[in-house]
Amino acid sequence: MSLDRPTPPPYGAAPDYTLAPPRPEDRLDTLALPLDLRLPPPRPEDRVACEPWRGDDRPLPPPRPEERLQGPVALPDRRRLDLQAALTAAGIAPEAGDTVAVADIAGLGDATVRAVIGWIEAAGRASWTRPHAV
């Protein structure tokens, strides 16, 4: 063996050399450079001019459910949303002309839309191979 690569001691034997303790600047718990991780305070000219906050200023509470604006969703819109949800759950990505077709199907009767949604769900279950727990 060469001098720059000495032979290691046999397995289980302690080497005849010891490592020096780490220098203070090399230790992780102390930093050699004085470093303050806090940001400096903002300059007065950068502050936003506003009135001081008073204790009696409280934000408005959210409206009660009976005060919220509620409008009925039209039946074709509800069917369209159901069709889009079924397509998304089956993993079918919408294409450019799909919105017109979905809107046309949503305009049909409720039984027709339910049948189409059932077909989409059945096709989605049959096409995806899902792993089973063993």
Side-chain angles (χ1 to χ4, degrees), residues 75-80 83 99-113:
L75 199 53
D77 290 336
R78 185 171 194 91
R79 291 178 187 152
R80 182 181 50 81
L83 282 165
T99 55
V100 176
V102 168
D104 289 344
I105 295 171
L108 299 174
D110 194 36
T112 307
V113 173

Side-chain angles (χ1 to χ4, degrees), residues 26-92:
D26 293 338
R27 294 181 50 158
L28 294 178
D29 57 347
T30 60
L31 294 173
L33 301 173
L35 184 64
D36 188 9
L37 299 177
R38 294 176 295 181
L39 294 174
R43 298 179 306 181
E45 59 268 16
D46 292 339
R47 292 181 181 262
V48 177
C50 61
E51 297 177 10
W53 187 77
R54 297 186 316 236
D56 58 345
D57 290 339
R58 291 192 176 96
L60 294 174
R64 294 189 307 248
E66 61 269 8
E67 294 175 350
R68 292 184 184 156
L69 294 177
Q70 293 180 358
V73 177
L75 199 53
D77 290 336
R78 185 171 194 91
R79 291 178 187 152
R80 182 181 50 81
L81 292 173
D82 290 343
L83 282 165
Q84 288 177 344
L87 288 169
T88 303
I92 300 170

Side-chain angles (χ1 to χ4, degrees), residues 8-15:
Y11 183 75

